[in-house]
């Protein structure tokens, strides 16, 4: 399901980012999309968005009303388009993909490193340098500890995933043995 929502959200995020660049309003769109994403992710709102019996027009009007006077006409048009196509649930993913594009356009790549063990500052610096060289851009690391990996690391940089964890290798071995 996560891959499907990304597939749905990506064209919207790309179009919005392109338009924001044209208008020179990249940061304003970022803030507005984050507000919309928070609205759509609210448990009560998410339940209504997921409810096929809830009229899309009602949801559209409610979200636009929540946005209030600060909502630009173009942002309102995006909400209308998403509601018309039953895509309001994609708002959080659209905001996330937009942020990835915004950061990438600034020459910085967001990278998530999940490690089975704690990573100290020196190791983090070595990783950042190696990833910057591999990705050809400055990287901003977020490091998380995940003991379920058993050993090794998983690295997520946008669509690129490097899985050098023991858990990942066990999954590969398991898949190979099943065929």
């Amino acid at each position: 399901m996560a891959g499907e929502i990304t597939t749905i959200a990506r064209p919207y995020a790309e179009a919005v980012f392109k338009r924001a660049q044209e208008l020179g309003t990249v940061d304003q769109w970022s803030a507005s999309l984050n507000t919309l994403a928070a609205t759509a992710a609210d448990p009560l709102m998410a339940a209504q968005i997921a409810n096929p019996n809830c009229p899309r027009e009602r949801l559209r009007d409610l979200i636009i009303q929540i946005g209030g006077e600060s909502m630009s006409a173009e942002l309102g048009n995006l909400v209308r388009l998403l509601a018309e196509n039953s895509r309001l649930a994609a708002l959080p993913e659209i905001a996330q993909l937009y942020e990835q594009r915004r950061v990438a356009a600034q020459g910085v790549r967001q990278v998530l490193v999940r490690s089975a063990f704690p990573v100290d500052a020196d190791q983090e610096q070595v990783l950042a340098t190696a990833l910057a060289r591999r990705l050809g851009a400055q990287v901003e690391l977020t490091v998380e500890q995940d003991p379920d990996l058993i050993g090794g690391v998983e690295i997520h940089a946008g669509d690129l995933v490097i899985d050098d964890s023991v858990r990942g290798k066990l999954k590969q071995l398991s898949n190979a043995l099943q065929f």
Side-chain angles (χ1 to χ4, degrees), residues 8-10 12-13 16 33 78 82 87 90-99:
I8 290 167
R10 184 168 277 120
Y12 292 104
V16 168
L33 285 173
L78 175 65
L82 292 171
R87 303 283 195 232
L91 271 168
E93 186 69 13
I94 291 169
Q96 181 179 347
L97 292 170
Y98 180 92
E99 282 304 304

Side-chain angles (χ1 to χ4, degrees), residues 1-161:
M1 179 71 177
E4 181 181 323
I5 198 79
T6 300
T7 302
I8 290 167
R10 184 168 277 120
Y12 292 104
E14 296 286 333
V16 168
F17 185 76
K18 184 176 179 182
R19 183 65 178 150
Q21 280 185 313
E22 290 170 2
L23 297 173
T25 57
V26 172
D27 292 335
Q28 291 91 331
W29 271 95
S30 178
S32 296
L33 285 173
N34 284 327
T35 300
L36 285 178
T39 301
D42 177 79
L44 294 173
M45 181 61 81
Q48 291 304 307
I49 290 171
N51 181 352
N53 296 322
C54 185
R56 300 293 142 208
E57 300 80 23
R58 184 172 143 221
L59 289 171
R60 174 199 66 208
D61 294 344
L62 182 60
I63 291 173
I64 290 173
Q65 183 180 5
I66 290 170
E69 307 249 338
S70 65
M71 184 177 283
S72 70
E74 286 188 323
L75 189 60
N77 289 340
L78 175 65
V79 171
R80 286 179 190 87
L81 180 65
L82 292 171
E84 183 178 309
N85 294 312
S86 298
R87 303 283 195 232
L88 289 170
L91 271 168
E93 186 69 13
I94 291 169
Q96 181 179 347
L97 292 170
Y98 180 92
E99 282 304 304
Q100 288 174 2
R101 284 295 311 269
R102 185 182 67 77
V103 169
Q106 294 173 341
V108 178
R109 297 274 308 262
Q110 297 287 339
V111 178
L112 170 64
V113 176
R114 295 175 64 225
S115 173
F117 302 100
V119 176
D120 65 33
D122 290 339
Q123 293 169 325
E124 198 171 313
Q125 184 58 44
V126 168
L127 269 171
T129 303
L131 288 167
R133 191 171 39 253
R134 166 113 189 239
L135 299 173
Q138 182 181 350
V139 297
E140 195 171 284
L141 286 183
T142 302
V143 180
E144 296 178 354
Q145 188 174 345
D146 183 359
D148 291 340
L149 294 177
I150 304 170
V153 296
E154 280 182 357
I155 300 171
H156 299 264
D159 292 337
L160 173 68
V161 177

